[in-house]
Amino acid sequence: MSTTAVLRRFNRTYTQRIGVLEESFLGLGRPLAVSRLLFEIGATEQSGGATVRDLRERLDLDSGHLSRMLRTLEREGLVETIPDPADQRRRVARLTPAGHTARQELDDRSEELAARIVAPLTDRQRARLTDALATADLLVRAATVRLREVPPDDPAGRDALQRYLDEIDARFAHGYVTSGPVATEPGSTYVLATSDGEPVAYGGIRPAADPTTIEIKRMWVHSDWRGAGLGSRMLRHLEALAAERGATRIVLDTNEVLEEAIAMYDRAGYCRVDRYAGSDPHATHFFEKVTAPR
Amino acid sequence: MSTTAVLRRFNRTYTQRIGVLEESFLGLGRPLAVSRLLFEIGATEQSGGATVRDLRERLDLDSGHLSRMLRTLEREGLVETIPDPADQRRRVARLTPAGHTARQELDDRSEELAARIVAPLTDRQRARLTDALATADLLVRAATVRLREVPPDDPAGRDALQRYLDEIDARFAHGYVTSGPVATEPGSTYVLATSDGEPVAYGGIRPAADPTTIEIKRMWVHSDWRGAGLGSRMLRHLEALAAERGATRIVLDTNEVLEEAIAMYDRAGYCRVDRYAGSDPHATHFFEKVTAPR
DNA sequence: ATATTTCTCTGACTAAAGTCAGACATCGTG
DNA sequence: CACGATGTCTGACTTTAGTCAGAGAAATAT
């Protein structure tokens, strides 16, 4: 069966068998959406609560609708909203002690529901299901990652860049001298991949000396996401951008400590070349790929 | 990570990433539930349409609610309902030509959505996802199969019984003499497992001569469902019923052609014994299991 | 033939979800 | 400090969902 057929069949099974159960199980007197909201607020607690805007985006709700649900939860004494000290227009929602209790209850119910669903399975089946769902989870997440261009000084991009540097630093036995944030170069473009708003991959292109050559810079994939094909997807995306800009040759450099990256470049059809002009002084491996002129 | 944790995480991923997409994609002006209904009616077309009762069960809807949705579809000219010739109280719903078109459109959209979801994946990833979802589908279905007691003359039970006999017949090289429907024996209980209303497993118990012994009869698992652990689940269920009725010993017989069944009984702790009184004349293998008295 | 059960339908609701316009406060910028 | 942008809220809806009682027709049991 084709992937789409399997996906569609699974979707039917899933919504029918599990979606339905969920609603009847997690209601607890409240409408399901309100329960979900309570849950979501709780999920952001350690970072000091969520702003209304965050919640709206995460749950994809209308502003009026969300506001009303927040009032409902406040009336029940489960949530309190206070103005964000950093910006008084914003309001952050936080759970009250009673809210924590209610959320814990929800969590318990959810756990119980999951336990009930898998209860009829044998240990071996349960292990197979765990495996299958973990794989599916990773791949569905990977498939729905969003790539978008960001300015070089975008905070999420900066964050990704910092992690990239940290990792080289941590892996680099000889102590890597962080070169600090790069200045914006004309013609360079950076792309950020996010999942649930979290940066999961980053990379960019910049023109090289030769006008038909473009250099790929600062490719990074979040460590939790290695092996999900995100690296090659980002690479293909950047190659497409380079092609749009008329490049027929792509170069890039990397450091020997980034073994997975090197393997990926090999797989993606890059050839090892000598150090090229303009490469990073700390780089140890150099690649190029010549693409057919359009 | 535990199975429940993986299941819950997957559930979040799935509803957030795919559930949401689905609604925006498959609405097409109609409320989603109406679209689903249209789809479901179409799915039963080759068998001459679905009765209202069938639809109600499959979609788990209130009678009034469903009736109104059917009127909506009729008003749009997509569906027509006619009294069931076999039973004039029932009504069967069928798609009109326009309904077929609308359903096809839905189907296309659904296919397109699925294709879009998997588009960013590489071939290898797609294959992994297909695998994982097919496994998860089977296991989720298996986990949510419903077991219920049925009277010996329940039509679904009869159907299951017939398939059981057919299969022995087909496999039995020497030509099996079908013994016809068994008369209801006092104290016997039959259990039917259904998935989407389809019988997928069947079995029953009946008291043996010895009052502390109960015999398990007519265990059958749908061929599509072998290997999903349904057989052992049914077996455990019947054993529990037998225990409730005070049995401390369970016997059963089967035919050598049903190899998987024999393997299952071995795995489930049954010992091979000699032919016992009251066993089926065509049976070739006999088992017993002594359970601790309560 | 009468009573009972089964099946679908309508009426009359309540609850939840989702929309849209605009009020009001606050922030950043020139 | 005026001005546009941003962020949240309320009011005033419309649409879907979901419930429940009971009417009326047809089948089945007594």
Side-chain angles (χ1 to χ4, degrees):
Chain A
M1 252 204 300
S2 74
T3 303
T4 53
V6 171
L7 178 58
R8 290 177 64 191
R9 180 186 164 108
F10 176 77
N11 194 38
R12 272 172 61 86
T13 300
Y14 202 76
T15 50
Q16 257 180 33
R17 315 289 183 108
I18 298 195
V20 173
L21 274 177
E22 205 186 3
E23 290 182 33
S24 65
F25 223 76
L26 298 184
L28 281 177
R30 266 178 290 280
L32 189 59
V34 176
S35 287
R36 256 202 267 274
L37 175 58
L38 186 64
F39 205 87
E40 204 63 39
I41 294 172
T44 60
E45 276 285 289
Q46 57 283 51
S47 49
T51 65
V52 175
R53 171 169 250 294
D54 281 350
L55 293 170
R56 207 163 54 221
E57 197 164 306
R58 291 170 76 131
L59 297 168
D60 192 38
L61 290 169
D62 172 79
S63 139
H65 192 185
L66 174 56
S67 187
R68 250 172 284 271
M69 291 203 295
L70 282 172
R71 288 306 84 64
T72 305
L73 286 173
E74 272 185 326
R75 232 177 297 117
E76 290 185 59
L78 304 178
V79 160
E80 54 185 7
T81 62
I82 51 170
D84 185 345
D87 181 343
Q88 302 262 64
R89 290 171 302 184
R90 280 200 271 255
R91 317 203 82 204
V92 290
R94 274 202 316 222
L95 296 186
T96 62
H100 275 111
T101 311
R103 194 193 117 103
Q104 187 57 49
E105 220 173 300
L106 268 181
D107 199 67
D108 292 347
R109 297 273 289 177
S110 175
E111 183 70 25
E112 192 192 331
L113 174 61
R116 261 193 217 196
I117 289 169
V118 300
L121 299 177
T122 63
D123 287 350
R124 232 178 81 238
Q125 288 180 313
R126 229 169 287 176
R128 277 180 69 202
L129 181 62
T130 307
D131 246 37
L133 289 184
T135 304
D137 186 67
L138 181 70
L139 290 169
V140 168
R141 280 166 182 273
T144 53
V145 154
R146 265 185 27 207
L147 299 182
R148 67 174 203 276
E149 286 187 24
V150 290
D153 59 342
D154 182 90
R158 277 198 183 289
D159 181 38
L161 178 58
Q162 193 51 54
R163 293 187 193 223
Y164 166 82
L165 295 173
D166 287 351
E167 179 153 356
I168 294 189
D169 198 34
R171 291 220 203 173
F172 199 65
H174 322 299
Y176 183 81
V177 184
T178 305
S179 47
V182 247
T184 309
E185 291 156 323
S188 70
T189 300
Y190 286 87
V191 174
L192 179 68
T194 53
S195 175
D196 290 323
E198 286 288 300
V200 295
Y202 187 66
I205 56 174
R206 73 166 182 198
D210 169 7
T212 62
T213 299
I214 276 181
E215 184 180 8
I216 286 182
K217 296 293 293 175
R218 305 186 182 278
M219 280 274 298
W220 164 82
V221 175
H222 192 294
S223 53
D224 290 357
W225 286 77
R226 309 267 159 89
L230 250 176
S232 27
R233 193 170 153 205
M234 176 65 84
L235 195 57
R236 283 200 306 276
H237 190 82
L238 294 175
E239 286 170 0
L241 284 181
E244 267 177 33
R245 282 161 180 64
T248 57
R249 180 165 160 266
I250 294 169
V251 295
L252 57 88
D253 61 20
T254 189
N255 191 286
E256 58 187 346
V257 297
L258 301 173
E259 297 161 20
E260 306 93 324
I262 294 175
M264 184 182 71
Y265 297 135
D266 283 335
R267 270 203 313 278
Y270 283 76
C271 306
R272 305 194 179 203
V273 293
D274 290 336
R275 176 182 292 276
Y276 55 84
S279 59
D280 186 292
H282 297 93
T284 58
H285 285 60
F286 309 88
F287 291 88
E288 76 164 26
K289 184 180 194 175
V290 177
T291 56
R294 290 194 298 177
Chain B
M1 251 204 299
S2 74
T3 303
T4 53
V6 171
L7 179 59
R8 291 178 64 191
R9 180 186 164 110
F10 176 79
N11 192 39
R12 274 173 64 86
T13 301
Y14 202 78
T15 49
Q16 256 179 34
R17 314 288 182 110
I18 298 194
V20 174
L21 274 177
E22 204 187 2
E23 289 182 33
S24 65
F25 225 75
L26 298 184
L28 282 177
R30 265 180 290 282
L32 191 59
V34 176
S35 286
R36 257 202 268 273
L37 175 58
L38 185 65
F39 205 87
E40 203 63 39
I41 293 171
T44 60
E45 276 287 288
Q46 56 285 47
S47 48
T51 64
V52 175
R53 168 169 251 297
D54 281 349
L55 294 170
R56 208 163 53 220
E57 196 166 307
R58 292 170 76 129
L59 296 167
D60 192 38
L61 289 169
D62 173 80
S63 139
H65 192 185
L66 174 57
S67 187
R68 250 172 284 270
M69 291 204 294
L70 282 171
R71 290 302 85 64
T72 305
L73 286 172
E74 271 185 326
R75 231 178 298 116
E76 289 185 61
L78 304 178
V79 160
E80 54 185 8
T81 62
I82 51 170
D84 184 345
D87 181 342
Q88 302 262 63
R89 288 170 305 182
R90 281 199 270 255
R91 316 203 81 205
V92 288
R94 273 201 318 222
L95 297 186
T96 63
H100 275 110
T101 312
R103 194 194 117 104
Q104 187 57 50
E105 219 174 300
L106 268 181
D107 198 65
D108 293 347
R109 298 273 288 178
S110 175
E111 183 70 24
E112 192 192 332
L113 174 62
R116 263 194 215 194
I117 289 168
V118 301
L121 299 178
T122 63
D123 287 349
R124 232 178 81 239
Q125 289 179 313
R126 229 169 288 174
R128 276 180 70 202
L129 182 61
T130 307
D131 245 37
L133 289 184
T135 304
D137 187 66
L138 180 70
L139 291 169
V140 168
R141 280 165 181 275
T144 54
V145 154
R146 264 185 26 209
L147 299 183
R148 67 174 202 277
E149 286 187 23
V150 291
D153 59 341
D154 183 88
R158 276 199 183 287
D159 181 38
L161 177 58
Q162 192 52 54
R163 293 189 194 220
Y164 165 82
L165 296 173
D166 287 350
E167 180 154 355
I168 293 189
D169 197 34
R171 290 217 203 177
F172 198 64
H174 322 299
Y176 183 80
V177 183
T178 304
S179 45
V182 247
T184 310
E185 290 156 325
S188 71
T189 300
Y190 285 86
V191 174
L192 179 68
T194 53
S195 175
D196 290 324
E198 287 288 299
V200 295
Y202 187 66
I205 56 175
R206 73 166 181 197
D210 169 7
T212 62
T213 300
I214 276 181
E215 184 179 9
I216 286 182
K217 296 294 292 175
R218 304 186 182 280
M219 278 273 299
W220 165 81
V221 175
H222 192 295
S223 54
D224 289 357
W225 286 77
R226 309 268 158 88
L230 249 173
S232 26
R233 193 168 153 209
M234 176 64 84
L235 196 57
R236 282 200 306 275
H237 190 81
L238 294 175
E239 286 171 0
L241 284 181
E244 267 177 34
R245 283 162 180 64
T248 56
R249 179 164 160 267
I250 294 168
V251 295
L252 57 87
D253 62 22
T254 189
N255 192 287
E256 57 187 346
V257 297
L258 301 172
E259 297 161 20
E260 307 92 323
I262 292 175
M264 183 183 73
Y265 297 136
D266 281 335
R267 272 203 313 279
Y270 283 75
C271 307
R272 305 193 181 203
V273 293
D274 289 336
R275 175 183 293 275
Y276 53 85
S279 57
D280 187 292
H282 297 91
T284 58
H285 285 60
F286 309 88
F287 291 88
E288 76 162 28
K289 184 180 193 175
V290 176
T291 56
R294 289 194 297 176

